[in-house]
mmCIF file with all atom_site columns, all heavy atoms in Angstrom:
data_model
loop_
_atom_site.group_PDB
_atom_site.id
_atom_site.type_symbol
_atom_site.label_atom_id
_atom_site.label_alt_id
_atom_site.label_comp_id
_atom_site.label_asym_id
_atom_site.label_entity_id
_atom_site.label_seq_id
_atom_site.pdbx_PDB_ins_code
_atom_site.Cartn_x
_atom_site.Cartn_y
_atom_site.Cartn_z
_atom_site.occupancy
_atom_site.B_iso_or_equiv
_atom_site.pdbx_formal_charge
_atom_site.auth_seq_id
_atom_site.auth_comp_id
_atom_site.auth_asym_id
_atom_site.auth_atom_id
_atom_site.pdbx_PDB_model_num
ATOM 1   N N   . PRO Q 1 303 ? 89.228 100.910 100.201 1.00 90.00 ? 303 PRO Q N   1
ATOM 2   C CA  . PRO Q 1 303 ? 89.596 99.941  101.175 1.00 90.00 ? 303 PRO Q CA  1
ATOM 3   C C   . PRO Q 1 303 ? 88.389 99.518  102.105 1.00 90.00 ? 303 PRO Q C   1
ATOM 4   O O   . PRO Q 1 303 ? 87.500 100.375 102.312 1.00 90.00 ? 303 PRO Q O   1
ATOM 5   C CB  . PRO Q 1 303 ? 90.649 100.645 102.019 1.00 90.00 ? 303 PRO Q CB  1
ATOM 6   C CG  . PRO Q 1 303 ? 91.164 101.736 101.157 1.00 90.00 ? 303 PRO Q CG  1
ATOM 7   C CD  . PRO Q 1 303 ? 89.979 102.155 100.316 1.00 90.00 ? 303 PRO Q CD  1
ATOM 8   N N   . TYR Q 1 324 ? 93.062 96.527  106.872 1.00 96.00 ? 324 TYR Q N   1
ATOM 9   C CA  . TYR Q 1 324 ? 92.816 97.643  105.929 1.00 96.00 ? 324 TYR Q CA  1
ATOM 10  C C   . TYR Q 1 324 ? 93.256 97.154  104.577 1.00 96.00 ? 324 TYR Q C   1
ATOM 11  O O   . TYR Q 1 324 ? 94.472 97.147  104.249 1.00 96.00 ? 324 TYR Q O   1
ATOM 12  C CB  . TYR Q 1 324 ? 93.595 98.839  106.414 1.00 96.00 ? 324 TYR Q CB  1
ATOM 13  C CG  . TYR Q 1 324 ? 93.022 100.145 105.865 1.00 96.00 ? 324 TYR Q CG  1
ATOM 14  C CD1 . TYR Q 1 324 ? 91.968 100.800 106.489 1.00 96.00 ? 324 TYR Q CD1 1
ATOM 15  C CD2 . TYR Q 1 324 ? 93.612 100.787 104.735 1.00 96.00 ? 324 TYR Q CD2 1
ATOM 16  C CE1 . TYR Q 1 324 ? 91.476 102.000 106.036 1.00 96.00 ? 324 TYR Q CE1 1
ATOM 17  C CE2 . TYR Q 1 324 ? 93.138 102.013 104.295 1.00 96.00 ? 324 TYR Q CE2 1
ATOM 18  C CZ  . TYR Q 1 324 ? 92.086 102.615 104.958 1.00 96.00 ? 324 TYR Q CZ  1
ATOM 19  O OH  . TYR Q 1 324 ? 91.577 103.802 104.512 1.00 96.00 ? 324 TYR Q OH  1
ATOM 20  N N   . ARG Q 1 326 ? 92.048 96.402  100.146 1.00 89.00 ? 326 ARG Q N   1
ATOM 21  C CA  . ARG Q 1 326 ? 91.138 96.734  99.052  1.00 89.00 ? 326 ARG Q CA  1
ATOM 22  C C   . ARG Q 1 326 ? 91.130 95.586  98.074  1.00 89.00 ? 326 ARG Q C   1
ATOM 23  O O   . ARG Q 1 326 ? 91.959 94.604  98.137  1.00 89.00 ? 326 ARG Q O   1
ATOM 24  C CB  . ARG Q 1 326 ? 91.553 98.023  98.369  1.00 89.00 ? 326 ARG Q CB  1
ATOM 25  C CG  . ARG Q 1 326 ? 92.875 97.976  97.616  1.00 89.00 ? 326 ARG Q CG  1
ATOM 26  C CD  . ARG Q 1 326 ? 93.158 99.304  96.893  1.00 89.00 ? 326 ARG Q CD  1
ATOM 27  N NE  . ARG Q 1 326 ? 93.485 100.364 97.808  1.00 89.00 ? 326 ARG Q NE  1
ATOM 28  C CZ  . ARG Q 1 326 ? 92.878 101.559 97.754  1.00 89.00 ? 326 ARG Q CZ  1
ATOM 29  N NH1 . ARG Q 1 326 ? 91.945 101.789 96.915  1.00 89.00 ? 326 ARG Q NH1 1
ATOM 30  N NH2 . ARG Q 1 326 ? 93.278 102.492 98.570  1.00 89.00 ? 326 ARG Q NH2 1
ATOM 31  N N   . ASN Q 1 423 ? 96.434 103.003 110.056 1.00 92.00 ? 423 ASN Q N   1
ATOM 32  C CA  . ASN Q 1 423 ? 95.451 103.777 109.247 1.00 92.00 ? 423 ASN Q CA  1
ATOM 33  C C   . ASN Q 1 423 ? 94.474 104.565 110.144 1.00 92.00 ? 423 ASN Q C   1
ATOM 34  O O   . ASN Q 1 423 ? 94.178 105.671 109.830 1.00 92.00 ? 423 ASN Q O   1
ATOM 35  C CB  . ASN Q 1 423 ? 94.740 102.845 108.297 1.00 92.00 ? 423 ASN Q CB  1
ATOM 36  C CG  . ASN Q 1 423 ? 95.638 102.249 107.225 1.00 92.00 ? 423 ASN Q CG  1
ATOM 37  O OD1 . ASN Q 1 423 ? 96.048 103.002 106.312 1.00 92.00 ? 423 ASN Q OD1 1
ATOM 38  N ND2 . ASN Q 1 423 ? 96.019 101.044 107.379 1.00 92.00 ? 423 ASN Q ND2 1
ATOM 39  N N   . ARG Q 1 426 ? 96.466 107.413 111.564 1.00 89.00 ? 426 ARG Q N   1
ATOM 40  C CA  . ARG Q 1 426 ? 96.660 108.505 110.532 1.00 89.00 ? 426 ARG Q CA  1
ATOM 41  C C   . ARG Q 1 426 ? 95.351 109.270 110.330 1.00 89.00 ? 426 ARG Q C   1
ATOM 42  O O   . ARG Q 1 426 ? 95.404 110.519 110.262 1.00 89.00 ? 426 ARG Q O   1
ATOM 43  C CB  . ARG Q 1 426 ? 97.106 107.808 109.230 1.00 89.00 ? 426 ARG Q CB  1
ATOM 44  C CG  . ARG Q 1 426 ? 97.155 108.749 108.058 1.00 89.00 ? 426 ARG Q CG  1
ATOM 45  C CD  . ARG Q 1 426 ? 97.839 108.059 106.867 1.00 89.00 ? 426 ARG Q CD  1
ATOM 46  N NE  . ARG Q 1 426 ? 97.198 106.801 106.515 1.00 89.00 ? 426 ARG Q NE  1
ATOM 47  C CZ  . ARG Q 1 426 ? 96.103 106.692 105.759 1.00 89.00 ? 426 ARG Q CZ  1
ATOM 48  N NH1 . ARG Q 1 426 ? 95.522 107.746 105.242 1.00 89.00 ? 426 ARG Q NH1 1
ATOM 49  N NH2 . ARG Q 1 426 ? 95.575 105.498 105.494 1.00 89.00 ? 426 ARG Q NH2 1
ATOM 50  N N   . GLN Q 1 427 ? 94.249 108.642 110.229 1.00 90.00 ? 427 GLN Q N   1
ATOM 51  C CA  . GLN Q 1 427 ? 92.976 109.358 109.957 1.00 90.00 ? 427 GLN Q CA  1
ATOM 52  C C   . GLN Q 1 427 ? 92.513 110.212 111.122 1.00 90.00 ? 427 GLN Q C   1
ATOM 53  O O   . GLN Q 1 427 ? 91.984 111.302 110.902 1.00 90.00 ? 427 GLN Q O   1
ATOM 54  C CB  . GLN Q 1 427 ? 91.946 108.331 109.498 1.00 90.00 ? 427 GLN Q CB  1
ATOM 55  C CG  . GLN Q 1 427 ? 92.248 107.791 108.121 1.00 90.00 ? 427 GLN Q CG  1
ATOM 56  C CD  . GLN Q 1 427 ? 91.268 106.660 107.675 1.00 90.00 ? 427 GLN Q CD  1
ATOM 57  O OE1 . GLN Q 1 427 ? 90.118 106.638 108.088 1.00 90.00 ? 427 GLN Q OE1 1
ATOM 58  N NE2 . GLN Q 1 427 ? 91.764 105.780 106.810 1.00 90.00 ? 427 GLN Q NE2 1
ATOM 59  N N   . LEU Q 1 431 ? 91.826 113.954 109.621 1.00 87.00 ? 431 LEU Q N   1
ATOM 60  C CA  . LEU Q 1 431 ? 90.493 114.106 109.020 1.00 87.00 ? 431 LEU Q CA  1
ATOM 61  C C   . LEU Q 1 431 ? 90.049 115.604 109.088 1.00 87.00 ? 431 LEU Q C   1
ATOM 62  O O   . LEU Q 1 431 ? 89.981 116.131 110.177 1.00 87.00 ? 431 LEU Q O   1
ATOM 63  C CB  . LEU Q 1 431 ? 89.493 113.220 109.738 1.00 87.00 ? 431 LEU Q CB  1
ATOM 64  C CG  . LEU Q 1 431 ? 89.255 111.827 109.169 1.00 87.00 ? 431 LEU Q CG  1
ATOM 65  C CD1 . LEU Q 1 431 ? 88.365 111.007 110.084 1.00 87.00 ? 431 LEU Q CD1 1
ATOM 66  C CD2 . LEU Q 1 431 ? 88.701 111.881 107.763 1.00 87.00 ? 431 LEU Q CD2 1
ATOM 67  N N   . ASN Q 1 442 ? 84.766 115.605 106.751 1.00 85.00 ? 442 ASN Q N   1
ATOM 68  C CA  . ASN Q 1 442 ? 84.678 115.737 105.306 1.00 85.00 ? 442 ASN Q CA  1
ATOM 69  C C   . ASN Q 1 442 ? 84.652 114.337 104.710 1.00 85.00 ? 442 ASN Q C   1
ATOM 70  O O   . ASN Q 1 442 ? 85.669 113.675 104.731 1.00 85.00 ? 442 ASN Q O   1
ATOM 71  C CB  . ASN Q 1 442 ? 85.831 116.552 104.740 1.00 85.00 ? 442 ASN Q CB  1
ATOM 72  C CG  . ASN Q 1 442 ? 85.682 116.814 103.244 1.00 85.00 ? 442 ASN Q CG  1
ATOM 73  O OD1 . ASN Q 1 442 ? 84.993 116.142 102.540 1.00 85.00 ? 442 ASN Q OD1 1
ATOM 74  N ND2 . ASN Q 1 442 ? 86.404 117.832 102.779 1.00 85.00 ? 442 ASN Q ND2 1
ATOM 75  N N   . THR Q 1 443 ? 83.537 113.896 104.231 1.00 85.00 ? 443 THR Q N   1
ATOM 76  C CA  . THR Q 1 443 ? 83.422 112.545 103.715 1.00 85.00 ? 443 THR Q CA  1
ATOM 77  C C   . THR Q 1 443 ? 84.171 112.317 102.429 1.00 85.00 ? 443 THR Q C   1
ATOM 78  O O   . THR Q 1 443 ? 84.316 111.148 102.009 1.00 85.00 ? 443 THR Q O   1
ATOM 79  C CB  . THR Q 1 443 ? 81.925 112.188 103.463 1.00 85.00 ? 443 THR Q CB  1
ATOM 80  O OG1 . THR Q 1 443 ? 81.339 113.087 102.579 1.00 85.00 ? 443 THR Q OG1 1
ATOM 81  C CG2 . THR Q 1 443 ? 81.138 112.225 104.804 1.00 85.00 ? 443 THR Q CG2 1
ATOM 82  N N   . ALA Q 1 444 ? 84.659 113.343 101.827 1.00 80.00 ? 444 ALA Q N   1
ATOM 83  C CA  . ALA Q 1 444 ? 85.545 113.203 100.600 1.00 80.00 ? 444 ALA Q CA  1
ATOM 84  C C   . ALA Q 1 444 ? 86.930 112.768 100.984 1.00 80.00 ? 444 ALA Q C   1
ATOM 85  O O   . ALA Q 1 444 ? 87.679 112.286 100.124 1.00 80.00 ? 444 ALA Q O   1
ATOM 86  C CB  . ALA Q 1 444 ? 85.563 114.452 99.782  1.00 80.00 ? 444 ALA Q CB  1
ATOM 87  N N   . ALA Q 1 445 ? 87.313 112.966 102.261 1.00 81.00 ? 445 ALA Q N   1
ATOM 88  C CA  . ALA Q 1 445 ? 88.637 112.536 102.721 1.00 81.00 ? 445 ALA Q CA  1
ATOM 89  C C   . ALA Q 1 445 ? 88.613 111.005 102.973 1.00 81.00 ? 445 ALA Q C   1
ATOM 90  O O   . ALA Q 1 445 ? 87.530 110.404 103.046 1.00 81.00 ? 445 ALA Q O   1
ATOM 91  C CB  . ALA Q 1 445 ? 88.970 113.289 103.996 1.00 81.00 ? 445 ALA Q CB  1
ATOM 92  N N   . GLU Q 1 446 ? 89.773 110.444 103.125 1.00 86.00 ? 446 GLU Q N   1
ATOM 93  C CA  . GLU Q 1 446 ? 89.899 109.012 103.444 1.00 86.00 ? 446 GLU Q CA  1
ATOM 94  C C   . GLU Q 1 446 ? 89.442 108.806 104.889 1.00 86.00 ? 446 GLU Q C   1
ATOM 95  O O   . GLU Q 1 446 ? 90.119 109.233 105.781 1.00 86.00 ? 446 GLU Q O   1
ATOM 96  C CB  . GLU Q 1 446 ? 91.328 108.541 103.201 1.00 86.00 ? 446 GLU Q CB  1
ATOM 97  C CG  . GLU Q 1 446 ? 91.494 107.012 103.377 1.00 86.00 ? 446 GLU Q CG  1
ATOM 98  C CD  . GLU Q 1 446 ? 92.878 106.552 103.210 1.00 86.00 ? 446 GLU Q CD  1
ATOM 99  O OE1 . GLU Q 1 446 ? 93.807 107.412 102.956 1.00 86.00 ? 446 GLU Q OE1 1
ATOM 100 O OE2 . GLU Q 1 446 ? 93.141 105.369 103.263 1.00 86.00 ? 446 GLU Q OE2 1
ATOM 101 N N   . ASP Q 1 447 ? 88.320 108.118 105.038 1.00 91.00 ? 447 ASP Q N   1
ATOM 102 C CA  . ASP Q 1 447 ? 87.703 108.017 106.397 1.00 91.00 ? 447 ASP Q CA  1
ATOM 103 C C   . ASP Q 1 447 ? 87.239 106.609 106.686 1.00 91.00 ? 447 ASP Q C   1
ATOM 104 O O   . ASP Q 1 447 ? 86.439 106.396 107.608 1.00 91.00 ? 447 ASP Q O   1
ATOM 105 C CB  . ASP Q 1 447 ? 86.489 108.987 106.520 1.00 91.00 ? 447 ASP Q CB  1
ATOM 106 C CG  . ASP Q 1 447 ? 85.398 108.666 105.488 1.00 91.00 ? 447 ASP Q CG  1
ATOM 107 O OD1 . ASP Q 1 447 ? 85.621 107.816 104.646 1.00 91.00 ? 447 ASP Q OD1 1
ATOM 108 O OD2 . ASP Q 1 447 ? 84.311 109.353 105.590 1.00 91.00 ? 447 ASP Q OD2 1
ATOM 109 N N   . HIS Q 1 448 ? 87.779 105.569 105.995 1.00 93.00 ? 448 HIS Q N   1
ATOM 110 C CA  . HIS Q 1 448 ? 87.261 104.200 106.202 1.00 93.00 ? 448 HIS Q CA  1
ATOM 111 C C   . HIS Q 1 448 ? 87.552 103.702 107.595 1.00 93.00 ? 448 HIS Q C   1
ATOM 112 O O   . HIS Q 1 448 ? 86.702 103.062 108.249 1.00 93.00 ? 448 HIS Q O   1
ATOM 113 C CB  . HIS Q 1 448 ? 87.844 103.298 105.127 1.00 93.00 ? 448 HIS Q CB  1
ATOM 114 C CG  . HIS Q 1 448 ? 87.755 103.851 103.746 1.00 93.00 ? 448 HIS Q CG  1
ATOM 115 N ND1 . HIS Q 1 448 ? 86.570 104.041 103.112 1.00 93.00 ? 448 HIS Q ND1 1
ATOM 116 C CD2 . HIS Q 1 448 ? 88.715 104.366 102.888 1.00 93.00 ? 448 HIS Q CD2 1
ATOM 117 C CE1 . HIS Q 1 448 ? 86.769 104.606 101.876 1.00 93.00 ? 448 HIS Q CE1 1
ATOM 118 N NE2 . HIS Q 1 448 ? 88.041 104.849 101.784 1.00 93.00 ? 448 HIS Q NE2 1
#
Side-chain angles (χ1 to χ4, degrees):
Y324 202 82
R326 66 176 73 230
N423 292 286
R426 173 171 54 83
Q427 290 175 28
L431 270 174
N442 185 341
T443 57
E446 186 181 2
D447 61 354
H448 311 293

